[in-house]
Amino acid sequence: MIDESNPAGRLHKILSQAKSRPDKAKVRDVWAMVLGVDQNDALVTRAVVELYSLSNEIQLLIKMNEQLNHKLYLKSFSSIDRAFFPLNLSANWNSVKQHLHDEALTRLQFCAEQLSDFYAEDTLSEEDLAEIIEKTESLFKAVYSSSLPGALRLSLLEEVERLRSAISMYRIKGAKGLKETLQGTIGAVIANQVELQSASENNPDVLKRLGELIDKLDSFTTRAMKLKKLLTKPIRFLIEKATDPDSENAEANS
C-alpha cells in the first residue's frame, strides 16, 4: 500500500490515474479529470504548474536525507517533469503518457515509502471537504451581497477566492496548501479587525460565517498535519473580537 499522505504518494496517485487514460484523449481533458478542475485552459494550466511544483518539493525532500542514494531515487524525475512541460492541451494524451512509464512510477513509489518515515498527514474526508466547500461558498455569497464598505468587501472576496483556489488544489498540495492560505486569511482578518468590528452590527451573518470557516480550517489542518493550532489564545481573541458581532456590546457591559 502506497502512503498517499505525503507529497510523493499524492503525486504517484495522480500520475497513476493519468497513465490509465486512453491514448487518444486530449491532454486538457485528462488533466482536468484527474486533478478535479474544470476543462478551462487557465485552470488546467495552473493545476499542472502545481504538479510541477509538487515534483520539485519531493526532490528537495529526498535530497534532505543524506543517507539516501539521490541519483537512484531521483533518476526518473526528468521524465516525470517532461509530462508536465511543454504543455500542449490540445494534443493527444499519448504524447504525455509516454513519459509516465513504469520505472518512473516505481521510483516515485520508493520516494513515497521513504518520505512516510518523517512526513505524513491525515487525509481530508469527502464529508469534511464538502463541508468546507459549502462554508466557503456560503461566505462568498454573504460577502458579495453584504453592505460592507467597498475596500473591506473586496479584501474579503479576495481572501475567499484564495481559499477556493486552495481547496481546488487540495488533492495536489494537501493540508499544507490549506494551512498556508489560512495563515493569509487570519492575517487579513487581524489587519482589518477594526473595520470588521465596525461593520458587524449591519453584517452579522458575514462575520459569523467567516469565523466558522476559519475555525473549521484551523481544526482540520491542525489534525491533518499534527501541528499546534494557528489560533493560539491571543490570535483567537483577535479573531473572535473581529468576527463576533456581540463582542463589542459584551465589553461595554462588562
Side-chain angles (χ1 to χ4, degrees):
M1 178 70 71
I2 299 174
D3 183 359
E4 298 175 356
S5 67
N6 65 58
R10 289 199 300 273
L11 185 58
H12 184 277
K13 180 179 180 179
I14 291 169
L15 297 186
S16 295
Q17 292 175 345
K19 188 175 184 293
S20 68
R21 305 309 299 166
D23 289 354
K24 293 185 178 180
K26 296 301 180 185
V27 170
R28 175 190 301 102
D29 299 341
V30 172
W31 284 133
M33 188 277 294
V34 299
L35 298 176
V37 298
D38 293 335
Q39 293 180 7
N40 173 286
D41 285 5
L43 292 177
V44 173
T45 299
R46 181 180 180 277
V48 174
V49 170
E50 292 291 354
L51 274 187
Y52 178 71
S53 297
L54 183 62
S55 172
N56 287 334
E57 179 184 354
I58 296 164
Q59 294 175 65
L60 289 174
L61 288 171
I62 292 296
K63 290 176 180 177
M64 287 170 59
N65 189 337
E66 297 179 354
Q67 297 180 352
L68 294 179
N69 184 330
H70 298 158
K71 184 177 181 180
L72 180 65
Y73 278 86
L74 304 179
K75 181 179 179 181
S76 294
F77 274 89
S78 58
S79 179
I80 290 174
D81 290 346
R82 283 196 293 273
F84 306 140
F85 300 110
L87 181 61
N88 185 352
L89 296 177
S90 60
N92 286 340
W93 180 243
N94 64 333
S95 64
V96 172
K97 190 174 180 178
Q98 61 181 316
H99 302 300
L100 303 178
H101 46 74
D102 290 342
E103 178 186 348
L105 292 181
T106 298
R107 290 180 188 274
L108 189 55
Q109 180 179 349
F110 291 154
C111 290
E113 291 175 353
Q114 286 295 331
L115 294 185
S116 65
D117 291 337
F118 68 92
Y119 190 116
E121 62 182 52
D122 290 341
T123 302
L124 184 65
S125 69
E126 292 298 326
E127 292 76 14
D128 279 337
L129 182 60
E131 183 179 358
I132 288 175
I133 291 174
E134 187 276 328
K135 287 183 178 295
T136 304
E137 293 306 311
S138 295
L139 176 59
F140 183 88
K141 292 176 182 177
V143 174
Y144 188 82
S145 60
S146 71
S147 61
L148 292 170
L152 178 59
R153 181 168 169 270
L154 178 60
S155 177
L156 289 180
L157 287 174
E158 289 175 342
E159 289 304 320
V160 176
E161 192 57 40
R162 275 191 276 272
L163 288 170
R164 274 176 163 178
S165 180
I167 293 168
S168 70
M169 294 294 111
Y170 171 73
R171 66 180 63 192
I172 300 174
K173 302 180 71 172
K176 180 181 178 182
L178 290 177
K179 180 180 74 70
E180 291 172 347
T181 306
L182 175 60
Q183 289 172 325
T185 301
I186 290 173
V189 171
I190 292 174
N192 292 286
Q193 61 176 303
V194 175
E195 291 84 354
L196 286 168
Q197 188 62 47
S198 298
S200 63
E201 183 176 349
N202 294 326
N203 298 273
D205 186 53
V206 172
L207 282 299
K208 179 175 181 291
R209 291 180 186 278
L210 177 60
E212 289 177 349
L213 179 58
I214 288 175
D215 192 63
K216 177 68 177 178
L217 286 170
D218 185 43
S219 295
F220 166 69
T221 54
T222 297
R223 184 178 76 248
M225 301 190 71
K226 301 174 179 62
L227 300 172
K228 291 183 178 180
K229 284 197 170 190
L230 290 175
L231 297 182
T232 58
K233 286 185 179 180
I235 295 178
R236 180 173 290 280
F237 171 76
L238 292 175
I239 295 293
E240 290 177 350
K241 184 177 180 180
T243 60
D244 184 357
D246 298 323
S247 64
E248 189 172 316
N249 293 332
E251 286 183 9
N253 292 334
S254 64

